[in-house]
Amino acid sequence: MKNNTNVFIKNRGILIFFAVMLLAPFLIGLLEGSSPAVILNNRGSMSKFLEGLGIEIFILAMFALSYDLLFGITGLLSFGHSMFFAVAAYLTGIALKTMHLPFWQVVLLVLLVAVIQALLFSLVLPRVKGVTFTLVSLGLASVFHIIVMSSDMINLTGADVGLQGVPVPAFISPVSERLRFYVIALSLLVATFLFYRRFVASPTGRVCVAIRENEGRAKMLGYNTTLFKIVVMVISSLTASIAGLLHALYQPIISPGVADLGYTVMGLLIVLVGGVGTLSGAIVGAFALRLLDFTLRRYIGESAAIITGAIYVIFVLFVPYGIIGTMNLRQFKTKQGWQRLLGLLKPKE
Amino acid sequence: MKTTLRKNSKAIIILVVIAAFLFVAARGMSGKDVIITVLRGFSIGSVTFLVAAGFSLIFGLLDVLNLSQGTLYMIGAYVGWTVYVRPDTFVDVLTPILLILAGFSLSSLWERFAKRIQLGAKPQKIAAWVMILVGFGLLALILTRYPIASWDLNNYSQSPITYSYMADQGMPIIPAEAVFQKISPFVAVIGILVTSSLSAFSIALLNSGTATTETANWRKYFVPGVLVLVGVLALVFNARITSWMYGMNSNWLFVIAILVSVISGVGLGALMETTLIRPLYSRPIYQLMLTLGLGTIGVQIVQAVWGRPEFVLPKPALFTGTGGVCPATNLADLFENHCSTILLLGGRVRVYDEIFIPIVGIIVLIVVWILLKRSRIGMIIRAGVQDRQMVEALGINVRRVFTLVFALGVGLAAFGGALAAPSSGLTPMMGEKLLLSALIALAIGGLTSFPGAALGSLLVGLIQQFMIKYGQIGIPLPFTDAVFKPSPPLVPASTVLLMVIVLLILPGGLLGTKE
Amino acid sequence: MTVRDTIIETQDLTKYFGAMVAVDGVSIKIQAGTLHAIIGPNGAGKTTFFNLLSGNLKPTSGKVFYKGVDLTGKPIHRMIHLGMGRSFQITNIFPNLTVHENIRLASQAMENMNFRLLLDTAKMDRCEQRTAEVIERVGLKNQSYLPARVLSHGDQRKLELGMILAPDPELLLLDEPTAGMATDQVPELITLIQDVQKSGTKTVILVEHNMNVVMSVSDRITVMHQGKVIAEGTPAEIAANHEVQTAYLGGLYDLNL
């Protein structure tokens, strides 16, 4: 086993991704004939549009990452994951619009509520296992969805129309300062990814993988598995909440759809397409799905959802390891093949 | 002996709980409010039960959480609506569907050709894919040219809403017949048969490498033969059947509509289990994700075919009598005049919604219960829920039982959909809502317990209805004069709350077994 | 150790499954540093008794004392930290993780670094060292980076033993460690178990069907029948015990019926 301790070499994939994504707006700007200065002033139309798409993808990828940690790494299949995202999004919207809180307080509030939510889920965790946990999480999230959709809350949440007209602080306004928003979202995603990577390699992360593989055995090894699940829940909730916060700032309307089961399924789909439990799969999946959805909607229209659904079913049936998982498997096989070949060449001792 | 006593004591406790709940809930309500609310609770509970029962049977035996159950419930409702309001569409669609089914069951005919051509593994795989593409491509081409009298979502006067409304008013619009223009009927029939059997065959080829060889006997051709015959007959006598159905007594038409939706539910269930669920038994989480995905696709398809807006399935004549002695005050009046409402303790009760649906629910409960307790297949199912390996060891064809149970479970959901359609109306959202109720009901009652499904559904129905009622009249709070009116979002929230409480105390649900 | 202390003790341990009694008023004392075998015909309640000892099941009544401390009703994960390790009749490992990872997880449990979220596990030197030691000891060094699921059954049993040894427990509960193993691999595993027990001051409690193994390795034997202890003593005493023979013969007779 290689013990590459150099942080940069270990994480070269994501660092290259970071660099490419940072340069992308300028490269696209050059293609459409606008200088970097124009891009910096947020005036290039094409690159600005693509920056927007990028921001959406980064937000989705963060949401999917948090889902992958919960489901892919720890094996907790929650159907209430969109609640973390939606609560943060709505809270940001309401705090800025109705409560007029300063921005840093909003961020603190969102993070605090994220922890509280995770603990709420954790209250249920030790009691119910497997499928029942899935159902309970679905139940909790549906309650939130119902509350958001209810006409009694229309002044706060905008009910089924969605929350509109959130006053976004000028320094990260997605309209006038889109490039800054883009870089912030990208950096947050990369930072989260690096943290997750580190986490999965940490003693805590390894125990989480053990819990996914065989929870009973992990207990018998002397681990208080509930505690580990709570930690994962809190991390996952925090990440999803940051994604939700960005979503609320970026989107002109916070639609109640983000509180829906459908949004959780979206996260599941991204993770599945990218590769369950691979982390990088979440980013790849988010790119693949959002771009596909974007193209389909452009050329087919409404019924694109059926095709997305069909892709989902095809992945479940035929590509269970997802893009990254299948690639890793291939790589492993090729590596094995090479080793066998080298073994043949080596003189026998 | 001792164990049965324990079980009974649990049942007694549950009865006491329900009685206590009713007693507490009904305080401060007038008699007529109580009876209407209880009946509505039973009604919602019955429909929830139909979905939940199928769900629990499937989960108990197959360990599959069928999250598409809600969508199948919705499809049941829409199919029922189509048969009842637009029999012409139904008759038009019947022929291609039967032919496709016949084609699929005739897929083995292609084996002889396949045997002659010996290909390597890879070319064979490519050939299979090519055949699938060709088969489905041609099938799609034929089907788009096949004439089906339908509605037009973009034209209000020809939308499902208008058809429903006019049928409800007793003046159904009889649309123009669809005629063969772009394709000759003969080519259509043969083409559908050939292309569908080709695609089915190449799928089988892809799955197994070589298609299965069974000994040929007449039985193998009997089912597809009948399907083709019925399909062709439906095509030849299309106009006659359509006009016969339009002129039919609405009660009988309703019965046919329900039967058709149950049959299509059973068929869909069998199809799903054999083609999509079966390859995934070794990966339960993927099964769950698959059913979830199928559920969303189903909703999208329904939205594309029937449209988003809500409409209703008109009630049959048996439940629509008005005027004269209606609302009925006694049973004789009710039966004579087919009143739509009846007076109970001074409150008007809708006969279909609040009397008929609960009765059907109870009948289904009893029938399925007897089926489970007394029949051979029921015993296999119950044994399988207890210990699947044991049943397999006994040499029972578990696969077939699995398919059967899945089909039965989905059929129950479709039945529930068709039954509920006249009272709840049809929207593409109806499935998701009901699935949530059913899941809550099951979590309360115990996921794999059949009586648990009934109990949970009843509790969910009652709580929902009492909360709605209290939302109207308000709960007098103790020690103050203030009145608390639970707002509508509290209705589902209250059931979820009950679920969480029950699960925290009894993780297996009220009647479930401990894990 | 000359004066042997009691390491684990049960008092009237009883477990009902519904109306059926699986373990019926068992009171035994097991001395530290011995290899103690529990035998009995099928359905005698040995595994249930084990589950009660290790905390996997809660007794209907009765108590378990470990070094004089009442353990009844304590969560399972505590047991390990008290120095108890347990294997299962059915191989219970992490199938998709490597052998190394399986053992490492087992030794990591004793470290107090489980919640250092940003620590790289490769840098936990003590843990790595211990893992290497254990892998060496159970003889899986050549397979250490293979996923556990591809190991042969015998190697999986060894891996499982390694996972119990990794936290360095004082008391080992082994439930049929040789079950399903190829006959030629059995002696190897038995020697390993004996080594472990002799080398440290460890106590081993063993459930075993293979009578040759039991008679040759154990210091003391407890015989269970229908949930009760019917005899206890040295291998020689047990071999001569009339009641034990009837119980076994009765068991065989039942099986043939």
Side-chain angles (χ1 to χ4, degrees):
Chain A
M1 200 173 202
K2 278 182 287 179
N3 255 334
N4 243 331
T5 38
N6 191 326
V7 185
F8 293 104
I9 295 181
K10 235 183 185 173
N11 298 311
R12 59 184 181 276
I14 186 74
L15 292 177
I16 292 170
F17 167 80
F18 186 55
V20 169
M21 276 304 164
L22 266 186
L23 287 178
F26 299 101
L27 292 178
I28 290 161
L30 285 180
L31 281 182
E32 63 171 341
S34 35
S35 69
V38 175
I39 305 297
L40 276 175
N41 288 324
N42 292 298
R43 277 189 279 115
S45 61
M46 186 64 185
S47 75
K48 194 172 177 184
F49 171 73
L50 287 176
E51 275 165 32
L53 197 60
I55 293 168
E56 277 178 35
I57 293 174
F58 300 151
I59 293 172
L60 268 180
M62 259 173 103
F63 177 64
L65 260 179
S66 69
Y67 199 67
D68 200 23
L69 183 71
L70 205 61
F71 167 59
I73 303 290
T74 321
L76 287 170
L77 183 59
S78 157
F79 275 173
H81 199 65
S82 63
M83 181 171 149
F84 295 150
F85 185 86
V87 166
Y90 272 97
L91 193 64
T92 311
I94 293 168
L96 285 173
K97 188 184 169 190
T98 317
M99 291 152 73
H100 307 293
L101 289 182
F103 186 64
W104 64 273
Q105 282 184 11
V106 174
V107 175
L108 276 186
L109 185 68
V110 165
L111 296 182
L112 185 74
V113 170
V115 175
I116 292 172
Q117 275 182 92
L119 294 180
L120 179 76
F121 269 69
S122 307
L123 204 71
V124 190
L125 265 176
R127 291 298 190 136
V128 292
K129 298 214 167 60
V131 165
T132 326
F133 171 70
T134 309
L135 294 187
V136 174
S137 60
L138 176 63
L140 289 176
S142 330
V143 172
F144 179 69
H145 185 220
I146 291 158
I147 291 172
V148 164
M149 290 280 279
S150 80
S151 47
D152 295 1
M153 308 284 276
I154 199 154
N155 290 328
L156 281 178
T157 64
D160 49 356
V161 183
L163 184 52
Q164 302 179 37
V166 175
V168 179
F171 70 101
I172 45 165
S173 153
V175 184
S176 53
E177 295 286 350
R178 183 166 290 184
L179 185 66
R180 188 180 280 164
F181 200 108
Y182 175 85
V183 173
I184 290 174
L186 175 64
S187 316
L188 278 173
L189 172 65
V190 170
T192 313
F193 181 80
L194 287 173
F195 170 69
Y196 271 35
R197 259 252 168 115
R198 202 63 201 256
F199 174 78
V200 173
S202 79
T204 326
R206 298 324 294 168
V207 177
C208 292
V209 173
I211 291 172
R212 175 190 76 196
E213 290 293 317
N214 187 345
E215 190 181 347
R217 186 65 207 174
K219 263 189 196 155
M220 279 307 294
L221 287 180
Y223 294 112
N224 183 354
T225 52
T226 310
L227 227 52
F228 287 88
K229 288 195 214 163
I230 292 175
V231 169
V232 164
M233 201 59 125
V234 170
I235 295 176
S236 176
S237 163
L238 281 172
T239 318
S241 294
I242 295 171
L245 187 138
L246 288 178
H247 179 89
L249 295 178
Y250 176 70
Q251 295 289 357
I253 299 176
I254 306 164
S255 103
V258 296
D260 201 1
L261 174 63
Y263 210 74
T264 305
V265 175
M266 180 79 176
L268 185 61
L269 181 55
I270 291 173
V271 170
L272 190 72
V273 166
V276 178
T278 56
L279 294 188
S280 47
I283 298 179
V284 172
F287 265 88
L289 236 91
R290 187 67 190 89
L291 292 179
L292 182 85
D293 192 55
F294 177 74
T295 344
L296 283 179
R297 256 176 222 288
R298 191 150 202 198
Y299 294 106
I300 302 180
E302 269 294 289
S303 42
I306 298 180
I307 294 177
T308 324
I311 288 170
Y312 174 91
V313 168
I314 287 170
F315 263 83
V316 169
L317 279 174
F318 300 112
V319 202
Y321 303 109
I323 297 172
I324 295 293
T326 316
M327 258 164 57
N328 286 349
L329 220 64
R330 281 263 160 92
Q331 237 172 30
F332 183 66
K333 273 187 187 154
T334 3
K335 230 185 235 171
Q336 269 187 332
W338 272 109
Q339 270 166 2
R340 209 174 295 150
L341 207 68
L342 290 174
L344 283 176
L345 291 173
K346 241 192 258 171
K348 276 189 184 140
E349 288 155 33
Chain B
M1 297 64 49
K2 204 170 179 182
T3 44
T4 46
L5 205 85
R6 259 186 207 170
K7 253 185 199 165
N8 283 342
S9 73
K10 209 170 191 180
I12 291 164
I13 291 169
I14 282 154
L15 281 179
V16 170
V17 168
I18 293 181
F21 165 77
L22 283 179
F23 178 75
V24 173
R27 270 183 334 146
M29 268 195 191
S30 61
K32 75 172 189 189
D33 280 349
V34 173
I35 201 134
I36 288 179
T37 314
V38 169
L39 283 175
R40 281 190 188 150
F42 267 85
S43 172
I44 301 290
S46 299
V47 175
T48 313
F49 165 72
L50 288 174
V51 175
F55 193 96
S56 104
L57 280 178
I58 293 171
F59 182 61
L61 187 68
L62 283 70
D63 265 344
V64 178
L65 268 187
N66 181 17
L67 293 177
S68 58
Q69 194 80 347
T71 304
L72 292 159
Y73 159 86
M74 172 187 68
I75 289 176
Y78 277 95
V79 168
W81 177 87
T82 310
V83 175
Y84 189 74
V85 177
R86 290 293 304 271
D88 56 329
T89 311
F90 163 65
V91 178
D92 283 353
V93 172
L94 197 60
T95 309
I97 286 184
L98 289 176
L99 289 176
I100 289 173
L101 284 179
F104 270 64
S105 45
L106 275 175
S107 66
S108 54
L109 275 183
W110 290 88
E111 244 171 82
R112 290 188 189 168
F113 292 98
K115 265 183 196 162
R116 292 216 182 131
I117 319 159
Q118 291 296 333
L119 290 170
K122 209 152 204 185
Q124 194 184 28
K125 211 170 186 181
I126 295 168
W129 275 111
V130 170
M131 284 202 288
I132 286 179
L133 283 181
V134 170
F136 277 109
L138 283 177
L139 188 61
L141 198 70
I142 296 170
L143 286 182
T144 45
R145 279 153 190 268
Y146 193 92
I148 290 167
S150 180
W151 45 86
D152 184 0
L153 294 178
N154 300 320
N155 184 347
Y156 187 76
S157 64
Q158 286 173 28
S159 69
I161 308 162
T162 314
Y163 286 113
S164 286
Y165 179 75
M166 294 312 283
D168 200 19
Q169 300 299 308
M171 319 173 257
I173 311 167
I174 299 180
E177 240 178 271
V179 283
F180 281 91
Q181 275 174 336
K182 296 174 188 161
I183 194 168
S184 86
F186 183 73
V187 173
V189 168
I190 301 293
I192 291 174
L193 265 176
V194 171
T195 51
S196 58
S197 65
L198 180 67
S199 352
F201 172 70
S202 29
I203 289 173
L205 205 65
L206 204 64
N207 275 344
S208 58
T210 49
T212 49
T213 32
E214 284 172 38
T215 45
N217 58 7
W218 64 272
R219 268 189 209 179
K220 216 167 108 188
Y221 300 109
F222 180 70
V223 175
V226 169
L227 288 174
V228 172
L229 191 71
V230 176
V232 171
L233 281 179
L235 179 64
V236 172
F237 297 107
N238 185 310
R240 275 198 211 175
I241 301 174
T242 306
S243 60
W244 173 69
M245 281 179 90
Y246 268 119
M248 202 180 203
N249 177 338
S250 68
N251 299 327
W252 287 114
L253 191 60
F254 187 68
V255 171
I256 291 178
I258 284 195
L259 274 180
V260 170
S261 65
V262 172
I263 291 169
S264 49
V266 168
L268 264 180
L271 194 72
M272 261 173 79
E273 203 276 337
T274 47
T275 56
L276 297 174
I277 309 274
R278 191 174 281 172
L280 295 178
Y281 277 116
S282 54
R283 290 184 272 151
I285 291 226
Y286 284 87
Q287 263 174 349
L288 197 150
M289 296 197 288
L290 179 80
T291 56
L292 191 65
L294 290 178
T296 21
I297 295 179
V299 173
Q300 299 296 336
I301 291 176
V302 164
Q303 265 179 14
V305 175
W306 284 278
R308 277 167 202 265
E310 182 170 355
F311 49 87
V312 290
L313 198 163
K315 284 173 193 160
L318 194 58
F319 304 104
T320 48
T322 46
V325 290
C326 293
T329 45
N330 55 42
L331 285 179
D333 281 356
L334 176 69
F335 288 129
E336 223 162 275
N337 298 297
H338 309 312
C339 287
S340 64
T341 52
I342 182 171
L343 281 176
L344 279 179
L345 296 177
R348 282 173 81 141
V349 175
R350 284 168 295 178
V351 175
Y352 183 87
D353 301 45
E354 281 122 34
I355 311 262
F356 181 69
I357 293 181
I359 290 175
V360 175
I362 291 166
I363 290 173
V364 171
L365 171 66
I366 294 168
V367 168
V368 178
W369 186 239
I370 290 174
L371 199 76
L372 279 178
K373 279 275 172 190
R374 298 268 174 247
S375 74
R376 194 181 117 80
I377 190 83
M379 283 201 271
I380 295 174
I381 293 171
R382 277 190 305 143
V385 172
Q386 291 275 319
D387 187 347
R388 194 174 354 158
Q389 266 111 33
M390 194 62 209
V391 176
E392 275 168 42
L394 287 174
I396 290 157
N397 185 349
V398 191
R399 275 192 162 190
R400 197 172 292 169
V401 179
F402 277 17
T403 312
L404 190 79
V405 168
F406 201 93
L408 182 75
V410 173
L412 278 176
F415 180 50
L419 189 71
S423 90
S424 72
L426 298 103
T427 67
M429 289 292 105
M430 66 190 286
E432 199 184 320
K433 257 192 227 159
L434 204 86
L435 178 69
L436 190 65
S437 301
L439 286 179
I440 293 169
L442 278 170
I444 291 174
L447 270 176
T448 56
S449 153
F450 185 75
L455 175 73
S457 308
L458 181 60
L459 276 177
V460 166
L462 283 174
I463 292 172
Q464 280 183 2
Q465 290 307 314
F466 271 102
M467 288 307 273
I468 290 173
K469 195 77 210 170
Y470 275 124
Q472 292 159 0
I473 60 172
I475 304 171
L477 291 177
F479 312 119
T480 49
D481 294 333
V483 172
F484 171 62
K485 282 191 176 176
S487 57
L490 278 176
V491 173
S494 59
T495 57
V496 173
L497 194 70
L498 180 75
M499 172 185 84
V500 172
I501 292 171
V502 167
L503 284 178
L504 287 180
I505 300 166
L506 296 165
L510 286 177
L511 296 180
T513 43
K514 272 189 206 165
E515 279 169 39
Chain C
M1 261 200 292
T2 43
V3 182
R4 288 187 159 169
D5 305 321
T6 304
I7 186 159
I8 195 160
E9 182 183 353
T10 67
Q11 280 179 5
D12 265 331
L13 209 55
T14 304
K15 177 74 188 175
Y16 278 93
F17 288 118
M20 197 194 81
V21 59
V23 171
D24 191 1
V26 173
S27 305
I28 60 167
K29 285 183 182 179
I30 287 164
Q31 286 175 328
T34 55
L35 202 159
H36 195 116
I38 296 174
I39 61 169
N42 275 331
K46 292 165 298 187
T47 299
T48 311
F49 179 63
F50 246 48
N51 283 332
L52 294 174
L53 283 187
S54 65
N56 285 47
L57 285 175
K58 304 243 175 312
T60 316
S61 67
K63 282 188 166 139
V64 181
F65 293 95
Y66 178 77
K67 291 187 188 167
V69 184
D70 187 359
L71 279 193
T72 332
K74 289 263 168 65
I76 314 172
H77 59 89
R78 283 290 187 73
M79 304 296 178
I80 303 292
H81 294 279
L82 291 169
M84 204 191 273
R86 164 186 185 171
S87 81
F88 292 84
Q89 208 170 336
I90 301 160
T91 311
N92 199 345
I93 51 177
F94 302 112
N96 292 321
L97 304 183
T98 60
V99 170
H100 178 268
E101 188 69 18
N102 265 283
I103 305 263
R104 213 191 51 69
L105 276 165
S107 50
Q108 184 195 313
M110 300 308 285
E111 311 257 342
N112 286 322
M113 302 177 156
N114 288 332
F115 289 104
R116 304 260 307 262
L117 303 188
L118 288 176
L119 182 78
D120 192 338
T121 39
K123 288 181 187 149
M124 295 171 73
D125 294 330
R126 199 148 45 104
C127 189
E128 283 295 318
Q129 203 184 330
R130 176 76 193 148
T131 308
E133 253 172 58
V134 172
I135 290 179
E136 178 89 52
R137 178 155 209 180
V138 293
L140 290 173
K141 204 174 176 192
N142 291 332
Q143 288 109 310
S144 73
Y145 287 103
L146 287 180
R149 61 168 191 280
V150 304
L151 297 186
S152 71
H153 183 76
D155 285 349
Q156 288 187 347
R157 303 299 303 192
K158 281 188 205 161
L159 171 60
E160 186 157 23
L161 191 65
M163 288 167 78
I164 302 160
L165 291 178
D168 201 21
E170 286 176 64
L171 171 68
L172 283 86
L173 303 170
L174 305 179
D175 195 351
E176 297 198 26
T178 64
M181 255 179 141
T183 357
D184 54 326
Q185 279 183 315
V186 172
E188 200 187 331
L189 191 76
I190 293 301
T191 324
L192 188 65
I193 294 172
Q194 271 181 310
D195 273 2
V196 168
Q197 192 245 331
K198 296 267 155 59
S199 64
T201 52
K202 299 197 195 314
T203 316
V204 175
I205 308 178
L206 186 74
V207 164
E208 188 53 68
H209 268 304
N210 189 331
M211 289 311 279
N212 292 334
V213 169
V214 170
M215 288 300 169
S216 60
V217 302
S218 15
D219 298 317
R220 288 188 78 80
I221 297 176
T222 298
V223 186
M224 285 182 76
H225 182 52
Q226 293 178 346
K228 289 195 169 94
V229 173
I230 57 169
E232 202 193 316
T234 60
E237 285 168 23
I238 295 298
N241 190 312
H242 181 69
E243 206 182 337
V244 174
Q245 284 175 353
T246 7
Y248 263 90
L249 279 180
L252 285 176
Y253 184 68
D254 267 341
L255 282 176
N256 288 336
L257 199 71

